[in-house]
Amino acid sequence: MGTYKIAVWVGSLLFTVGALAQNITLKGMVKDSLQNPLDMANVMAVNQDGQALDGFGITSPEGKFQFNVKANATYMIRVSFLGFTTKEIPLTTTTQDVNLDVVLYESAESLDEVEVVYEIPVSIKGDTIIYNTDSFVTGTEKKLEDVLSRLPGVEVNDDGEIEVEGKTVTKVMVEGEDFFDGDSKLATKNIPANALDKIEVLRNYSEVSQLKGVTNNQDNIAINLRLKEGKKKFWFGEITGGAGPDGRYTANPKLFYYSPDFSLNLLTNLNNVGEVAFSRRDYWNFTGGFRGATRSNTGTSFNTGSSGLGISTAQNDRAKEIDTKFGALNFTLKPTDVWTLNGFGIYSYTNTLMETEASRIFIASNQTEQTTASTDQVSKLGLIKLGSNYKPNDTFQWNYDVLVRLSDEEEVTNTLSLTTTADTINEQNSQRPTTITQNSNIYYTANESNIFALEASYEYADENPFYNAIREQQPFLGTIPFNEEQSVYNVNQDQYTQTHRLDAKLDYFWVTSPKSHVNFTLGTTVSEQRFNSKIFQILDNGTSEDFNESALNNDVDFSFSDAFLGMHYKLVAGKFTLNPGFHVHAYKATNTQLGTSVSDDLVNIVPDMFIQYQFKDSESLRFNYNITRSFSDINSFASGYIFNNYNSLYQGNRDLESALYHNVSLNFFSFKMFNQQNIFANASYSKRIDAFKTNTSITGINQVNSPINSNLEDETLSTNGNYQRTFGKVKVSAQTGLSYGNTNNIVNGEAQNSQSFTQNYTASVGSSFVNAPNLEIGYRYTVNDYNTGATNATFYTDRPFAKFDAAFLNGFVFLADYDYYFYRDKAETVENKYGFLNASLSYQKPKSKWEYSIEATNLTNNEVLNRDTYNDNFISTSAYFVQPRYLIFKIKYDL
């Protein structure tokens, strides 16, 4: 089987190379009448036999262009540049490369007024890159993600998120209106490819136009989708249904409506074939677009994070069984020309069955635990957002949003734990948290020199996680006084956390010149939290026995306040942009429990620096440095014990103080439309002083963890890079990611140094022919190296992959993707080889609204996938069981 796969890959690659060999290179220069090179001029080669666009290029800053065309063909070469008369040059190619220099002359006519048979494939207007989708698609694309993967400089990662210049896109718009603001996955997985006309990548994006010149927006990237004529001002979409053996089914209606004053999007997905439309990770990462235009690092890190229990997450959205029901509605309404209302509602129900076999080596005790766990999880997730944008003129804007999060989750896990003894454990987690966040931002421009921004956010959170464990063996002997005259140990834990938090910030921008300004900031964060918990035992007769010891109960009040002043100066000097500044903070954190209060008062100055060197419009180098003062929330201060899971207790530290972080990053970006070359690289380094550490006591496999401050310094260093270039119809890409961590903790009273080094490498080559099959082949290689001094473990994963698509016989489309895994460790104790093959065959008669398809997932019928994890307490490797082979027949109707 392996020899056959390699032969297919090599044969396909030779086919691609052979196709390229039939082409020749067309290159040259474009200048104006004064012999000055024209940067970003468009050059297109239109084949006169059938009027096909065979090639295009965009000139470099030196006016050069280069791309491939067919040998022995007749072309019309069109050369255009905004403000210049378009030139058409007939050209008949031979088997020799062609050099063509072109001179354009200024014209009073705008390029938009010139009749052009073919639209320019790529154009750049300021910070916006505009892709004409018809110039890149091959006819096999189904969804937005398929189109985006064809565009130079744009990637869709394994999670379905859009990445541009190495940055994740969190804002997707359709015709300028938000599409489920705060996430890009819903867009990539649901918007049909045949509805797209143009894709606009908006770099340095700012939602507030008057602040674009005074804020650093280099990491803000949005995408706006332009629809084809006929997809506007009425409903469009698709209705898909399918069924297969073993009771498998899928139903997936999607409806879209767009007009100048109103838009509506309705997405639904019901299936039991493992298609996770909206995962728990998507839910917690979904921001709802809550971000202020000036909200950046103020030098304080204070997260009122979830107190929820550790409910399991499916690996790579795979599990032994997944049943999903998903619905989402998004709308935009313009009651007037100056007022816009928008919002969305999302509901997701997922029933997931998981099964895992794991081996953990506990570092301090040198104890090995073998576990077999089966989990039944039901997750109901809800999101509701309503927003208002009022902008009566160019000098005033008021945005208001409210986001409500609701969830109801329950998980039952049965675990067999084998150490020196065997223990059967039944665990149940449940939680129903509610979070309401309100955001209000006002922006006012008094005149060209004075700009004001007021941003405020208020959050209310209510959490009540419950934990239950039934064990045969008594856990934590000597810590919890269990009634030992019972057949089993039935442990229960109630928790309740309530949070009120207000963040407010006023920014004043004094614009001293077109290239410099001063920013003054006044702000505050105020938070009040309540937390209580108790541990109790259910006896065999059904009665409850409370543990009244103070160490097993919590009743805590916690308040945090941060008042700060800031000043920053921004200067653009030639190719340099300098933006140094600082914040002065006055902190107070107080926790009250056990009848007393402990306070931490602190005044702190934290500087930061931003430097950018702009080599050219699409090439830059950025440097960031900042110091951050980090504070914990109430969960770290509660001194009573809390169960994390059946073999782990957590005890807060009421004397915990803040920690200081030094953060440095360096980013390089280069995007050359001349040869469609995209390069980005970044490196980041963080050093923690007086850091939060974990003091762990381990006996066998049972551990008690408590946070402490320590002068043992932690360091993390990570680098990643990406190279992508297009050679005619072939795209070559390579990525690398390296991450090194050096941490120190206290384990059983002794300092323990742990180091981890992770390496990820990926290389691929793929074609994008319009009238021929396309193939992408690649290789991923991962190394995870964990070293704790006493224990060292190294894991390797080789992962070759291939993707194939072909359109044939006037309506058929075949798609296939294959990933092969070779997982092993250096000690030769673990080894697993497996692959995942998915394929589909569809037929849609030209101009017909009906499509028929058969889809197959996991054709190799692989049973498990592997993963390894590491922390300062143990090293774990596991086998994770996944869904078997599924076949399903689908029918789709295009509205």
Side-chain angles (χ1 to χ4, degrees):
M1 180 67 179
T3 304
Y4 173 74
K5 289 183 290 189
I6 293 174
V8 171
W9 289 346
V10 172
S12 300
L13 183 59
L14 291 175
F15 169 80
T16 300
V17 173
L20 286 176
Q22 301 173 21
N23 294 335
I24 66 168
T25 299
L26 173 63
K27 61 182 178 180
M29 295 185 67
V30 179
K31 300 179 180 180
D32 63 13
S33 58
L34 300 178
Q35 298 300 301
N36 297 313
L38 294 179
D39 183 15
M40 300 294 179
N42 289 272
V43 184
M44 295 183 288
V46 181
N47 194 321
Q48 296 303 283
D49 182 12
Q51 293 295 304
L53 179 63
D54 279 2
F56 73 93
I58 295 179
T59 57
S60 68
E62 295 77 27
K64 297 180 180 179
F65 68 90
Q66 178 177 317
F67 56 87
N68 292 329
V69 294
K70 295 178 181 177
N72 302 311
T74 300
Y75 288 98
M76 182 64 71
I77 308 300
R78 300 180 185 274
V79 186
S80 59
F81 189 75
L82 189 64
F84 286 71
T85 301
T86 298
K87 179 169 287 189
E88 296 186 347
I89 304 169
L91 174 68
T92 300
T93 61
T94 62
T95 57
Q96 302 295 318
D97 292 343
V98 177
N99 189 80
L100 181 67
D101 292 337
V102 181
V103 176
L104 296 183
Y105 294 90
E106 292 187 16
S107 171
E109 289 184 317
S110 167
L111 180 63
D112 295 334
E113 298 170 346
V114 179
E115 183 179 355
V116 180
V117 175
Y118 275 86
E119 291 193 72
I120 298 171
V122 184
S123 58
I124 298 179
K125 296 180 180 179
D127 288 328
T128 301
I129 304 175
I130 305 170
Y131 298 93
N132 179 43
T133 58
D134 286 344
S135 303
F136 296 93
V137 297
T138 63
T140 62
E141 296 80 12
K142 301 293 185 181
K143 302 300 176 189
L144 171 62
E145 62 178 339
D146 303 321
V147 178
L148 292 172
S149 64
R150 305 286 189 190
L151 306 182
V154 182
E155 298 281 348
V156 179
N157 63 26
D158 291 340
D159 296 325
E161 298 172 327
I162 307 169
E163 294 181 350
V164 177
E165 304 176 10
K167 310 178 191 73
T168 300
V169 176
T170 57
K171 189 175 192 64
V172 176
M173 297 175 286
V174 179
E175 295 293 337
E177 306 300 341
D178 292 345
F179 187 88
F180 294 97
D181 193 17
D183 178 77
S184 60
K185 180 179 176 180
L186 289 181
T188 60
K189 297 292 185 181
N190 289 283
I191 295 178
N194 60 11
L196 301 172
D197 181 33
K198 292 181 174 60
I199 296 176
E200 300 173 346
V201 175
L202 313 176
R203 299 180 295 172
N204 303 319
Y205 180 74
S206 175
E207 295 188 66
V208 183
S209 57
Q210 59 259 50
L211 295 181
K212 185 175 178 63
V214 295
T215 55
N216 294 325
N217 306 303
Q218 288 78 6
D219 291 328
N220 296 341
I221 296 180
I223 283 184
N224 184 42
L225 308 176
R226 297 294 181 185
L227 302 176
K228 290 182 177 179
E229 292 298 327
K231 300 297 184 183
K232 305 176 185 179
K233 297 185 179 179
F234 68 91
W235 290 96
F236 72 97
E238 60 189 33
I239 299 175
T240 304
D246 304 319
R248 300 299 153 185
Y249 69 89
T250 182
N252 197 7
K254 301 169 186 175
L255 303 174
F256 307 88
Y257 177 80
Y258 284 90
S259 71
D261 297 325
F262 180 68
S263 66
L264 188 69
N265 308 286
L266 177 63
L267 311 176
T268 59
N269 192 329
L270 295 83
N271 75 85
N272 63 355
V273 294
E275 296 178 0
V276 182
F278 196 70
S279 67
R280 293 185 66 252
R281 180 174 55 184
D282 297 330
Y283 173 80
W284 291 111
N285 291 339
F286 207 93
T287 65
F290 273 67
R291 53 188 178 277
T294 69
R295 197 161 293 161
S296 58
N297 177 39
T298 63
T300 300
S301 174
F302 174 63
N303 296 317
T304 48
S306 170
S307 301
L309 298 164
I311 289 183
S312 307
T313 302
Q315 304 303 316
N316 300 332
D317 287 342
R318 298 179 188 267
K320 190 174 182 179
E321 183 83 20
I322 303 177
D323 189 350
T324 294
K325 296 176 177 62
F326 169 79
L329 178 70
N330 179 80
F331 79 93
T332 300
L333 173 65
K334 295 181 178 178
T336 69
D337 293 338
V338 300
W339 185 28
T340 302
L341 298 174
N342 60 76
F344 58 74
I346 298 174
Y347 173 77
S348 173
Y349 167 91
T350 306
N351 183 198
T352 306
L353 303 181
M354 292 176 276
E355 185 175 334
T356 307
E357 294 179 353
S359 175
R360 299 183 185 91
I361 301 175
F362 287 81
I363 299 164
S365 62
N366 199 30
Q367 181 94 50
T368 298
E369 180 190 23
Q370 305 285 345
T371 63
T372 299
S374 60
T375 301
D376 186 348
Q377 179 188 109
V378 175
S379 181
K380 303 173 185 177
L381 309 173
L383 285 168
I384 301 172
K385 179 197 172 184
L386 295 174
S388 169
N389 186 329
Y390 177 66
K391 189 175 182 180
N393 50 56
D394 292 336
T395 64
F396 181 82
Q397 182 172 331
W398 176 32
N399 302 332
Y400 173 80
D401 303 277
V402 57
L403 176 69
V404 180
R405 294 179 184 269
L406 303 167
S407 69
D408 183 353
E409 300 176 275
E410 184 171 349
E411 176 180 278
V412 176
T413 303
N414 294 301
T415 303
L416 174 62
S417 173
L418 298 176
T419 54
T420 55
T421 60
D423 193 3
T424 300
I425 305 153
N426 177 274
E427 293 179 283
Q428 180 177 342
N429 292 328
S430 62
Q431 56 188 24
R432 296 174 178 83
T434 299
T435 303
I436 302 174
T437 306
Q438 299 180 73
N439 204 54
S440 182
N441 305 322
I442 297 175
Y443 307 100
Y444 173 64
T445 302
N447 50 50
E448 293 182 354
S449 302
N450 299 280
I451 304 172
F452 298 87
L454 175 62
E455 299 175 340
S457 177
Y458 173 74
E459 177 183 281
Y460 169 79
D462 192 296
E463 303 171 278
N464 59 343
F466 174 78
Y467 174 75
N468 168 250
I470 301 175
R471 300 187 57 167
E472 295 178 345
Q473 303 293 328
Q474 179 177 352
F476 300 101
L477 184 65
T479 301
I480 302 177
F482 288 104
N483 185 327
E484 300 183 16
E485 299 177 357
Q486 308 299 312
S487 60
V488 293
Y489 295 94
N490 191 330
V491 185
N492 297 265
Q493 176 178 270
D494 266 327
Q495 292 185 67
Y496 176 76
T497 306
Q498 186 182 84
T499 300
H500 297 268
R501 173 171 175 163
L502 172 67
D503 292 89
K505 187 160 73 79
L506 174 64
D507 279 279
Y508 165 59
F509 298 91
W510 176 31
V511 182
T512 56
S513 75
K515 294 189 175 183
S516 65
H517 71 264
V518 182
N519 173 209
F520 297 97
T521 303
L522 173 66
T524 186
T525 296
V526 180
S527 177
E528 296 285 342
Q529 290 183 293
R530 294 171 50 208
F531 174 73
N532 59 63
S533 69
K534 68 175 183 177
I535 299 174
F536 58 97
Q537 182 181 6
I538 300 295
L539 306 182
D540 289 348
N541 61 12
T543 62
S544 172
E545 186 171 295
D546 294 338
F547 301 122
N548 297 317
E549 292 82 354
S550 61
L552 301 179
N553 294 271
N554 283 294
D555 187 359
V556 188
D557 291 322
F558 177 72
S559 63
F560 173 82
S561 65
D562 171 23
F564 58 90
L565 292 168
M567 177 179 175
H568 289 77
Y569 177 67
K570 185 174 182 180
L571 172 67
V572 179
K575 295 184 177 183
F576 277 98
T577 299
L578 305 175
N579 192 195
F582 64 89
H583 289 91
V584 181
H585 292 266
Y587 302 108
K588 185 171 184 178
T590 303
N591 71 86
T592 302
Q593 55 187 313
L594 302 175
T596 60
S597 297
V598 176
S599 294
D600 182 16
D601 296 348
L602 178 68
V603 175
N604 192 209
I605 299 177
V606 286
D608 59 87
M609 168 66 79
F610 170 86
I611 302 174
Q612 176 173 279
Y613 184 79
Q614 196 77 34
F615 297 95
K616 54 191 70 172
D617 287 342
S618 56
E619 188 172 86
S620 65
L621 180 67
R622 289 188 288 127
F623 170 84
N624 273 287
Y625 169 73
N626 65 75
I627 295 178
T628 300
R629 176 69 64 176
S630 181
F631 290 84
S632 293
D633 73 346
I634 195 170
N635 296 282
S636 297
F637 293 98
S639 59
Y641 288 109
I642 297 293
F643 269 99
N644 285 333
N645 54 52
Y646 67 89
N647 69 338
S648 177
L649 283 175
Y650 180 83
Q651 183 179 35
N653 177 5
R654 65 179 313 187
D655 297 316
L656 195 66
E657 299 177 347
S658 59
L660 202 64
Y661 289 68
H662 291 263
N663 305 291
V664 181
S665 66
L666 189 66
N667 298 269
F668 173 76
F669 166 70
S670 175
F671 184 35
K672 297 181 179 179
M673 292 303 302
F674 161 63
N675 53 13
Q676 296 184 41
Q677 176 179 282
N678 180 42
I679 300 174
F680 70 83
N682 64 67
S684 61
Y685 172 78
S686 176
K687 184 175 184 178
R688 289 176 283 183
I689 300 174
D690 197 22
F692 300 137
K693 300 293 181 181
T694 301
N695 185 4
T696 303
S697 175
I698 297 180
T699 302
I701 66 170
N702 293 320
Q703 52 187 306
V704 178
N705 302 298
S706 181
I708 60 172
N709 291 105
S710 171
N711 57 6
L712 299 173
E713 297 177 353
D714 290 352
E715 297 177 294
T716 59
L717 173 65
S718 63
T719 63
N720 63 75
N722 179 288
Y723 172 83
Q724 183 186 103
R725 183 170 175 179
T726 300
F727 299 87
K729 297 294 184 180
V730 175
K731 181 169 70 173
V732 176
S733 64
Q735 300 91 33
T736 181
L738 307 175
S739 178
Y740 170 77
N742 182 25
T743 61
N744 299 275
N745 284 292
I746 308 298
V747 180
N748 287 348
E750 296 183 2
Q752 177 177 288
N753 176 258
S754 300
Q755 300 178 26
S756 65
F757 183 41
T758 298
Q759 307 170 62
N760 290 286
Y761 307 96
T762 303
S764 65
V765 56
S767 63
S768 57
F769 300 112
V770 176
N771 298 314
N774 288 293
L775 174 70
E776 179 187 5
I777 58 175
Y779 205 93
R780 292 187 176 99
Y781 179 63
T782 302
V783 182
N784 293 324
D785 188 12
Y786 311 125
N787 188 351
T788 65
T791 304
N792 179 264
T794 305
F795 300 90
Y796 308 93
T797 303
D798 294 272
R799 185 183 167 189
F801 62 91
K803 297 179 181 179
F804 179 82
D805 65 78
F808 59 97
L809 296 180
N810 200 27
F812 284 93
V813 173
F814 177 72
L815 305 173
D817 63 85
Y818 180 70
D819 289 83
Y820 177 78
Y821 295 78
F822 177 26
Y823 178 83
R824 63 205 182 279
D825 69 342
K826 187 176 182 180
E828 299 182 351
T829 60
V830 178
E831 180 176 304
N832 194 14
K833 300 177 181 179
Y834 55 94
F836 286 102
L837 173 62
N838 302 316
S840 68
L841 177 66
S842 63
Y843 173 73
Q844 186 170 17
K845 185 178 180 180
K847 297 183 180 180
S848 172
K849 292 181 177 293
W850 293 94
E851 180 188 84
Y852 308 91
S853 64
I854 183 169
E855 296 183 2
T857 59
N858 193 11
L859 273 169
T860 50
N861 209 28
N862 176 60
E863 295 181 349
V864 299
L865 57 84
N866 293 99
R867 59 172 286 187
D868 52 80
T869 58
Y870 152 85
N871 59 42
D872 290 326
N873 298 328
F874 60 80
I875 297 172
S876 172
T877 181
S878 61
Y880 185 86
F881 289 79
V882 297
Q883 288 174 298
R885 178 192 301 120
Y886 287 149
L887 294 175
I888 192 164
F889 176 74
K890 288 185 176 181
I891 300 176
K892 185 184 75 171
Y893 179 75
D894 292 327
L895 298 176

